[in-house]
Amino acid sequence: TEANDAILIADVMGNIIDVNISASQILGLSRSEIINQPLGSLFETSFLTLIESAIKSRHTKPFEVSLEGVNHQKYELSYLLHL
C-alpha cells in the first residue's frame, strides 16, 4: 500500500536517495528527477538549517515543520533522523 504522504529519504549529506510515488506527484517531478538531488534543490534554506542542526545534535525524535518549497507551495513535513 502506498502512503498518501510524500516520503523522501536523504543521506547524511542531504542527498535524496529514495522517494515514494506521492512525493513525486506532490513535487511534480519524476522519481528519476528527484533521486540524487540535494534537499536544497527542493526546499528553502531554513529547512536545510533545521536538518543540519538535527544531525549535529543527533536529534532522534520526530518533529514537524512547515515550509514553502521552491515551487511556492506550503508543505507540512515530519522529520525523523535515523542514526
Coordinates of all heavy atoms in Angstrom, one line a residue:
T1 N 0.8 -1.2 0.0 CA 0.0 0.0 0.0 C 0.9 1.2 0.0 O 1.8 1.3 0.8 CB -0.9 0.0 1.2 OG1 -1.7 -1.2 1.3 CG2 -1.8 1.2 1.2
E2 N 0.6 2.2 -0.8 CA 1.3 3.4 -1.0 C 0.8 4.5 0.0 O -0.4 4.6 0.1 CB 1.2 3.9 -2.4 CG 2.1 5.1 -2.7 CD 3.6 4.8 -2.7 OE1 4.0 3.7 -3.0 OE2 4.3 5.7 -2.3
A3 N 1.7 5.1 0.7 CA 1.4 6.2 1.6 C 0.9 7.4 0.8 O 1.3 7.7 -0.3 CB 2.6 6.6 2.4
N4 N -0.1 8.1 1.4 CA -0.6 9.4 0.7 C 0.4 10.5 1.0 O 0.4 11.5 0.2 CB -2.0 9.8 1.3 CG -3.1 8.8 0.8 OD1 -3.0 8.3 -0.3 ND2 -4.1 8.6 1.6
D5 N 1.1 10.4 2.1 CA 2.1 11.5 2.4 C 3.4 11.3 1.5 O 3.7 10.2 1.2 CB 2.5 11.4 3.8 CG 1.4 11.7 4.8 OD1 0.5 12.5 4.4 OD2 1.4 11.2 5.9
A6 N 4.0 12.4 1.2 CA 5.2 12.4 0.5 C 6.3 11.9 1.4 O 6.4 12.3 2.6 CB 5.6 13.7 0.0
I7 N 7.1 10.9 1.0 CA 8.2 10.4 1.8 C 9.5 10.6 1.0 O 9.6 10.0 -0.2 CB 8.0 8.9 2.2 CG1 6.7 8.8 3.0 CG2 9.2 8.4 2.9 CD1 6.3 7.4 3.3
L8 N 10.4 11.3 1.5 CA 11.8 11.5 0.9 C 12.8 11.0 1.9 O 12.7 11.3 3.1 CB 12.1 12.9 0.6 CG 11.2 13.6 -0.5 CD1 10.0 14.3 0.2 CD2 12.0 14.6 -1.2
I9 N 13.7 10.2 1.4 CA 14.8 9.7 2.3 C 16.1 10.3 1.8 O 16.4 10.2 0.6 CB 14.8 8.1 2.2 CG1 13.5 7.6 2.7 CG2 16.0 7.6 3.1 CD1 13.3 6.1 2.5
A10 N 16.8 10.9 2.7 CA 18.1 11.5 2.3 C 19.2 10.9 3.1 O 19.0 10.5 4.3 CB 18.0 13.0 2.5
D11 N 20.4 11.0 2.6 CA 21.6 10.5 3.3 C 22.0 11.6 4.2 O 21.5 12.7 4.2 CB 22.7 10.0 2.4 CG 23.2 11.1 1.4 OD1 23.0 12.3 1.7 OD2 23.8 10.7 0.4
V12 N 23.1 11.4 5.0 CA 23.6 12.4 6.0 C 24.2 13.6 5.3 O 24.3 14.7 5.9 CB 24.6 11.8 7.0 CG1 23.9 10.8 7.9 CG2 25.8 11.2 6.3
M13 N 24.4 13.5 4.0 CA 24.9 14.7 3.3 C 23.8 15.5 2.7 O 24.0 16.5 2.1 CB 25.9 14.2 2.1 CG 27.1 13.4 2.6 SD 28.1 14.4 3.8 CE 28.7 15.7 2.7
G14 N 22.5 15.0 2.9 CA 21.4 15.8 2.4 C 21.0 15.5 1.0 O 20.2 16.2 0.4
N15 N 21.5 14.4 0.4 CA 21.2 14.0 -0.9 C 20.0 13.0 -0.9 O 20.0 12.0 -0.1 CB 22.4 13.4 -1.7 CG 23.5 14.4 -1.8 OD1 23.3 15.5 -2.3 ND2 24.7 14.0 -1.4
I16 N 19.0 13.2 -1.7 CA 17.9 12.3 -1.7 C 18.2 11.0 -2.3 O 18.7 10.9 -3.4 CB 16.7 13.0 -2.5 CG1 16.4 14.3 -1.8 CG2 15.5 12.1 -2.5 CD1 15.5 15.2 -2.6
I17 N 17.9 9.9 -1.6 CA 18.3 8.6 -2.1 C 17.1 7.8 -2.4 O 17.2 6.7 -3.1 CB 19.2 7.8 -1.1 CG1 18.6 7.7 0.3 CG2 20.6 8.5 -1.0 CD1 19.3 6.9 1.3
D18 N 15.9 8.2 -2.0 CA 14.7 7.5 -2.3 C 13.5 8.4 -2.1 O 13.5 9.2 -1.2 CB 14.5 6.2 -1.5 CG 13.6 5.2 -2.2 OD1 13.1 5.4 -3.3 OD2 13.3 4.1 -1.6
V19 N 12.4 8.1 -2.8 CA 11.1 8.9 -2.7 C 10.0 7.9 -3.0 O 10.2 6.9 -3.7 CB 11.0 10.1 -3.6 CG1 12.1 11.1 -3.3 CG2 11.1 9.7 -5.1
N20 N 8.8 8.2 -2.5 CA 7.7 7.4 -2.9 C 6.9 8.1 -4.0 O 7.2 9.2 -4.4 CB 6.8 7.1 -1.7 CG 6.1 8.3 -1.1 OD1 6.4 9.4 -1.5 ND2 5.2 8.1 -0.2
I21 N 5.9 7.4 -4.5 CA 5.1 8.0 -5.6 C 4.4 9.3 -5.2 O 4.4 10.2 -6.0 CB 4.0 6.9 -6.1 CG1 4.8 5.7 -6.7 CG2 3.0 7.5 -7.0 CD1 3.9 4.6 -7.0
S22 N 3.9 9.4 -4.0 CA 3.3 10.6 -3.5 C 4.2 11.8 -3.6 O 3.8 12.9 -4.0 CB 2.7 10.4 -2.1 OG 1.6 9.5 -2.1
A23 N 5.4 11.6 -3.2 CA 6.4 12.7 -3.2 C 6.6 13.2 -4.6 O 6.6 14.4 -4.9 CB 7.7 12.3 -2.6
S24 N 6.7 12.2 -5.5 CA 6.9 12.6 -7.0 C 5.7 13.4 -7.5 O 5.8 14.4 -8.1 CB 7.0 11.3 -7.8 OG 7.2 11.6 -9.1
Q25 N 4.5 12.9 -7.1 CA 3.2 13.6 -7.6 C 3.1 15.0 -6.9 O 2.8 15.9 -7.6 CB 2.0 12.7 -7.2 CG 2.0 11.5 -8.0 CD 0.9 10.5 -7.6 OE1 0.4 10.6 -6.5 NE2 0.5 9.6 -8.5
I26 N 3.4 15.1 -5.7 CA 3.2 16.4 -5.0 C 4.2 17.4 -5.5 O 3.9 18.6 -5.7 CB 3.4 16.2 -3.4 CG1 2.2 15.5 -2.9 CG2 3.6 17.5 -2.7 CD1 2.3 15.0 -1.4
L27 N 5.5 16.9 -5.7 CA 6.5 17.8 -6.2 C 6.4 18.1 -7.7 O 7.1 19.0 -8.3 CB 7.9 17.3 -5.9 CG 8.2 17.2 -4.4 CD1 9.5 16.4 -4.1 CD2 8.3 18.6 -3.8
G28 N 5.6 17.3 -8.4 CA 5.5 17.4 -9.9 C 6.8 17.0 -10.6 O 7.0 17.6 -11.7
L29 N 7.5 16.1 -10.1 CA 8.8 15.7 -10.7 C 8.8 14.1 -10.7 O 8.2 13.5 -9.9 CB 10.0 16.1 -9.9 CG 10.2 17.6 -9.7 CD1 11.2 17.9 -8.7 CD2 10.5 18.3 -11.1
S30 N 9.4 13.6 -11.7 CA 9.6 12.1 -11.8 C 10.6 11.7 -10.7 O 11.4 12.5 -10.2 CB 10.1 11.7 -13.1 OG 11.4 12.0 -13.3
R31 N 10.5 10.4 -10.3 CA 11.4 9.9 -9.3 C 12.8 10.1 -9.8 O 13.7 10.4 -9.0 CB 11.0 8.4 -9.1 CG 11.8 7.7 -8.0 CD 11.4 6.3 -7.8 NE 12.1 5.7 -6.7 CZ 13.3 5.2 -6.8 NH1 13.9 5.1 -7.9 NH2 13.8 4.7 -5.7
S32 N 13.1 9.8 -11.0 CA 14.5 10.0 -11.5 C 15.0 11.4 -11.5 O 16.2 11.7 -11.3 CB 14.6 9.4 -12.9 OG 13.8 10.1 -13.8
E33 N 14.1 12.4 -11.5 CA 14.4 13.8 -11.4 C 14.8 14.2 -10.0 O 15.5 15.2 -9.7 CB 13.3 14.7 -11.9 CG 13.1 14.6 -13.4 CD 11.9 15.5 -13.9 OE1 10.8 15.2 -13.4 OE2 12.1 16.4 -14.7
I34 N 14.2 13.4 -9.0 CA 14.4 13.7 -7.6 C 15.6 13.0 -7.0 O 16.4 13.6 -6.2 CB 13.1 13.4 -6.8 CG1 11.9 14.2 -7.3 CG2 13.3 13.6 -5.3 CD1 10.6 13.7 -6.8
I35 N 15.8 11.7 -7.3 CA 16.9 10.9 -6.8 C 18.2 11.6 -7.1 O 18.5 12.1 -8.1 CB 16.8 9.5 -7.3 CG1 15.5 8.8 -7.0 CG2 18.0 8.7 -6.8 CD1 15.3 8.5 -5.5
N36 N 19.1 11.6 -6.1 CA 20.4 12.1 -6.1 C 20.5 13.7 -6.1 O 21.6 14.2 -6.1 CB 21.2 11.6 -7.3 CG 21.5 10.1 -7.2 OD1 21.7 9.6 -6.1 ND2 21.3 9.4 -8.3
Q37 N 19.3 14.3 -5.9 CA 19.3 15.8 -5.8 C 19.5 16.1 -4.4 O 19.1 15.4 -3.5 CB 18.0 16.3 -6.3 CG 17.8 16.2 -7.8 CD 18.8 16.9 -8.6 OE1 19.2 18.0 -8.4 NE2 19.4 16.1 -9.6
P38 N 20.2 17.3 -4.1 CA 20.3 17.7 -2.7 C 18.9 18.3 -2.2 O 18.1 18.8 -3.1 CB 21.3 18.8 -2.8 CG 21.3 19.3 -4.2 CD 20.9 18.1 -5.0
L39 N 18.6 18.1 -1.0 CA 17.3 18.6 -0.4 C 17.2 20.1 -0.7 O 16.1 20.6 -1.0 CB 17.3 18.4 1.1 CG 16.9 17.0 1.5 CD1 17.2 16.9 3.0 CD2 15.5 16.6 1.2
G40 N 18.3 20.8 -0.8 CA 18.3 22.2 -1.1 C 17.8 22.6 -2.4 O 17.4 23.7 -2.7
S41 N 17.7 21.6 -3.3 CA 17.2 21.9 -4.7 C 15.6 21.9 -4.6 O 15.0 22.4 -5.5 CB 17.7 20.9 -5.7 OG 17.1 19.6 -5.4
L42 N 15.1 21.4 -3.5 CA 13.6 21.3 -3.4 C 13.1 22.2 -2.3 O 11.9 22.6 -2.4 CB 13.2 19.9 -3.1 CG 13.5 18.9 -4.2 CD1 13.1 17.5 -3.7 CD2 12.8 19.2 -5.5
F43 N 13.9 22.5 -1.3 CA 13.4 23.2 -0.1 C 14.2 24.4 0.2 O 15.4 24.4 -0.1 CB 13.3 22.3 1.1 CG 12.4 21.1 0.8 CD1 12.9 19.8 0.7 CD2 11.0 21.2 0.7 CE1 12.1 18.7 0.4 CE2 10.2 20.2 0.5 CZ 10.8 18.9 0.3
E44 N 13.6 25.4 0.9 CA 14.4 26.6 1.2 C 15.4 26.4 2.3 O 15.4 25.4 3.0 CB 13.4 27.7 1.6 CG 12.5 27.3 2.8 CD 11.4 28.3 3.0 OE1 10.9 28.9 2.1 OE2 11.1 28.5 4.2
T45 N 16.3 27.3 2.4 CA 17.5 27.2 3.3 C 17.1 27.0 4.7 O 17.8 26.3 5.4 CB 18.3 28.5 3.1 OG1 18.6 28.7 1.7 CG2 19.6 28.4 3.9
S46 N 16.0 27.6 5.2 CA 15.7 27.5 6.6 C 15.4 26.0 7.0 O 15.8 25.6 8.1 CB 14.5 28.3 7.0 OG 13.3 27.9 6.2
F47 N 14.8 25.2 6.1 CA 14.6 23.8 6.3 C 15.9 23.1 6.4 O 16.2 22.3 7.3 CB 13.7 23.2 5.3 CG 13.5 21.7 5.4 CD1 12.8 21.2 6.5 CD2 14.1 20.9 4.5 CE1 12.6 19.9 6.6 CE2 13.9 19.5 4.6 CZ 13.1 19.0 5.7
L48 N 16.8 23.4 5.5 CA 18.1 22.7 5.5 C 18.9 23.0 6.8 O 19.6 22.2 7.3 CB 18.9 23.1 4.3 CG 18.2 22.8 2.9 CD1 19.0 23.3 1.8 CD2 17.9 21.3 2.8
T49 N 18.8 24.3 7.3 CA 19.5 24.6 8.5 C 18.9 23.8 9.7 O 19.7 23.3 10.5 CB 19.3 26.1 8.8 OG1 19.9 26.9 7.7 CG2 20.0 26.6 10.0
L50 N 17.6 23.6 9.7 CA 17.0 22.8 10.7 C 17.5 21.4 10.7 O 17.8 20.8 11.7 CB 15.5 22.9 10.5 CG 14.6 22.2 11.5 CD1 14.8 22.7 12.9 CD2 13.2 22.2 11.1
I51 N 17.6 20.8 9.5 CA 18.0 19.4 9.3 C 19.5 19.3 9.8 O 19.9 18.4 10.5 CB 17.9 19.0 7.9 CG1 16.4 19.0 7.4 CG2 18.5 17.6 7.6 CD1 15.5 18.2 8.3
E52 N 20.3 20.2 9.3 CA 21.7 20.2 9.8 C 21.9 20.3 11.3 O 22.7 19.5 11.9 CB 22.5 21.4 9.1 CG 22.7 21.2 7.7 CD 23.4 22.4 7.0 OE1 23.7 23.4 7.8 OE2 23.5 22.4 5.8
S53 N 21.1 21.1 11.9 CA 21.1 21.2 13.4 C 20.7 19.9 14.0 O 21.3 19.4 15.0 CB 20.1 22.3 13.8 OG 20.1 22.4 15.2
A54 N 19.6 19.2 13.4 CA 19.2 17.9 14.0 C 20.3 16.9 13.9 O 20.5 16.1 14.8 CB 17.9 17.5 13.3
I55 N 21.0 16.9 12.7 CA 22.0 15.9 12.5 C 23.2 16.1 13.5 O 23.6 15.2 14.2 CB 22.5 15.9 11.1 CG1 21.4 15.4 10.1 CG2 23.8 15.1 10.9 CD1 21.7 15.6 8.7
K56 N 23.6 17.4 13.7 CA 24.7 17.7 14.6 C 24.4 17.4 16.0 O 25.2 16.9 16.8 CB 25.1 19.2 14.4 CG 25.8 19.5 13.1 CD 26.1 21.0 13.0 CE 26.7 21.3 11.7 NZ 26.9 22.7 11.5
S57 N 23.1 17.6 16.4 CA 22.7 17.3 17.8 C 22.3 15.9 18.0 O 21.9 15.5 19.1 CB 21.6 18.3 18.2 OG 20.4 18.0 17.5
R58 N 22.3 15.1 16.9 CA 21.8 13.7 16.9 C 20.4 13.6 17.5 O 20.1 12.7 18.2 CB 22.8 12.9 17.7 CG 24.2 12.9 17.0 CD 25.3 12.1 17.7 NE 25.1 10.7 17.5 CZ 25.4 10.0 16.5 NH1 25.9 10.6 15.4 NH2 25.3 8.7 16.4
H59 N 19.6 14.6 17.1 CA 18.2 14.6 17.5 C 17.4 13.4 16.8 O 17.3 13.4 15.6 CB 17.5 15.9 17.1 CG 16.1 16.1 17.5 ND1 15.8 16.6 18.7 CD2 14.9 15.7 16.9 CE1 14.5 16.6 18.8 NE2 13.9 16.1 17.8
T60 N 17.0 12.5 17.6 CA 16.4 11.3 17.0 C 14.9 11.1 17.2 O 14.3 10.1 16.9 CB 17.1 10.0 17.6 OG1 16.9 10.0 19.0 CG2 18.5 9.9 17.2
K61 N 14.2 12.2 17.8 CA 12.8 12.1 18.0 C 12.2 12.9 16.8 O 12.7 13.9 16.3 CB 12.4 12.8 19.3 CG 12.9 12.0 20.5 CD 12.4 12.6 21.8 CE 12.9 11.7 22.9 NZ 12.8 12.2 24.2
P62 N 11.0 12.4 16.3 CA 10.4 13.0 15.2 C 9.9 14.4 15.5 O 9.5 14.7 16.7 CB 9.2 12.1 14.9 CG 9.0 11.2 16.0 CD 10.3 11.2 16.8
F63 N 9.9 15.3 14.6 CA 9.4 16.7 14.7 C 8.8 17.1 13.4 O 9.1 16.5 12.4 CB 10.4 17.7 15.2 CG 11.6 17.8 14.4 CD1 11.6 18.8 13.4 CD2 12.8 17.1 14.5 CE1 12.8 19.0 12.6 CE2 13.9 17.2 13.8 CZ 13.9 18.2 12.8
E64 N 7.9 18.0 13.5 CA 7.2 18.5 12.3 C 7.6 19.9 12.0 O 7.8 20.7 12.9 CB 5.7 18.4 12.5 CG 5.2 16.9 12.6 CD 3.7 16.8 12.6 OE1 3.0 17.8 12.3 OE2 3.3 15.7 12.8
V65 N 7.6 20.2 10.7 CA 8.0 21.6 10.3 C 7.0 22.0 9.1 O 6.5 21.1 8.4 CB 9.4 21.7 9.8 CG1 10.4 21.5 10.9 CG2 9.7 20.8 8.7
S66 N 6.7 23.2 9.0 CA 6.0 23.8 7.9 C 7.0 24.5 7.1 O 7.8 25.3 7.6 CB 4.9 24.7 8.4 OG 4.0 24.1 9.1
L67 N 6.9 24.4 5.8 CA 7.9 25.1 4.9 C 7.2 25.3 3.6 O 6.3 24.7 3.2 CB 9.2 24.4 4.8 CG 9.2 23.0 4.2 CD1 9.5 23.1 2.7 CD2 10.2 22.2 4.9
E68 N 7.9 26.2 2.8 CA 7.4 26.5 1.5 C 8.5 26.0 0.5 O 9.7 26.3 0.7 CB 7.3 28.0 1.3 CG 6.8 28.4 -0.1 CD 6.5 29.9 -0.2 OE1 6.2 30.6 0.8 OE2 6.8 30.5 -1.3
G69 N 8.1 25.2 -0.4 CA 9.0 24.6 -1.4 C 9.4 25.7 -2.4 O 8.8 26.7 -2.5
V70 N 10.4 25.3 -3.2 CA 10.8 26.3 -4.2 C 9.7 26.6 -5.3 O 9.7 27.6 -6.0 CB 12.1 25.8 -5.0 CG1 13.3 25.8 -4.0 CG2 11.9 24.5 -5.6
N71 N 8.7 25.7 -5.3 CA 7.5 26.0 -6.2 C 6.5 26.9 -5.5 O 5.4 27.0 -6.0 CB 6.9 24.7 -6.7 CG 6.4 23.8 -5.5 OD1 6.5 24.2 -4.4 ND2 5.9 22.7 -5.8
H72 N 6.8 27.4 -4.3 CA 5.9 28.3 -3.5 C 4.7 27.6 -2.9 O 3.8 28.3 -2.5 CB 5.6 29.5 -4.3 CG 6.8 30.3 -4.8 ND1 7.6 30.9 -3.9 CD2 7.3 30.4 -6.0 CE1 8.6 31.4 -4.6 NE2 8.4 31.2 -5.9
Q73 N 4.7 26.3 -2.9 CA 3.6 25.5 -2.2 C 4.0 25.3 -0.8 O 5.2 25.1 -0.5 CB 3.3 24.2 -2.9 CG 2.5 24.3 -4.2 CD 2.1 23.0 -4.7 OE1 2.9 22.3 -5.3 NE2 0.9 22.6 -4.3
K74 N 3.0 25.3 0.1 CA 3.3 25.0 1.5 C 3.2 23.5 1.8 O 2.4 22.8 1.2 CB 2.2 25.7 2.4 CG 2.3 27.2 2.4 CD 3.4 27.7 3.2 CE 3.4 29.2 3.3 NZ 4.4 29.8 4.0
Y75 N 4.2 23.1 2.6 CA 4.2 21.6 2.9 C 4.4 21.5 4.4 O 5.0 22.3 5.1 CB 5.5 21.0 2.3 CG 5.4 20.9 0.8 CD1 6.1 21.9 0.0 CD2 4.7 20.0 0.1 CE1 6.0 21.9 -1.4 CE2 4.7 19.9 -1.3 CZ 5.3 20.9 -2.0 OH 5.3 20.9 -3.4
E76 N 3.7 20.5 4.9 CA 3.8 20.1 6.3 C 4.7 18.8 6.3 O 4.3 17.8 5.7 CB 2.5 19.8 7.0 CG 1.6 21.0 7.0 CD 2.0 22.1 8.0 OE1 2.6 21.7 9.0 OE2 1.8 23.2 7.7
L77 N 5.8 18.8 7.0 CA 6.7 17.7 6.9 C 7.0 17.1 8.3 O 7.1 17.9 9.3 CB 8.1 18.1 6.3 CG 8.1 18.6 4.9 CD1 9.5 19.0 4.5 CD2 7.6 17.5 4.0
S78 N 7.1 15.8 8.4 CA 7.5 15.2 9.6 C 8.9 14.7 9.3 O 9.2 14.2 8.2 CB 6.7 14.0 9.9 OG 5.4 14.4 10.3
Y79 N 9.8 14.9 10.2 CA 11.2 14.6 10.0 C 11.7 13.7 11.1 O 11.4 13.9 12.3 CB 12.1 15.8 10.0 CG 13.5 15.6 9.9 CD1 14.1 15.3 8.7 CD2 14.4 15.5 11.0 CE1 15.5 15.0 8.6 CE2 15.7 15.2 10.9 CZ 16.2 14.9 9.7 OH 17.6 14.6 9.6
L80 N 12.3 12.6 10.8 CA 12.9 11.7 11.7 C 14.3 11.3 11.3 O 14.5 10.8 10.1 CB 12.0 10.4 11.9 CG 12.6 9.3 12.8 CD1 12.7 9.8 14.2 CD2 11.6 8.1 12.8
L81 N 15.3 11.5 12.1 CA 16.7 11.1 11.8 C 17.0 9.7 12.3 O 16.7 9.5 13.5 CB 17.6 12.2 12.5 CG 19.1 11.9 12.4 CD1 19.5 12.0 10.9 CD2 19.9 12.9 13.2
H82 N 17.4 8.9 11.4 CA 17.8 7.5 11.8 C 19.3 7.5 11.8 O 19.9 7.7 10.8 CB 17.2 6.5 10.8 CG 15.7 6.3 11.0 ND1 15.2 5.5 11.9 CD2 14.7 6.9 10.3 CE1 13.9 5.5 11.7 NE2 13.6 6.4 10.8
L83 N 19.9 7.1 13.0 CA 21.3 7.0 13.1 C 21.8 5.6 13.1 O 21.1 4.7 13.5 CB 21.8 7.8 14.3 CG 21.5 9.3 14.4 CD1 21.9 9.9 15.7 CD2 22.2 10.0 13.2

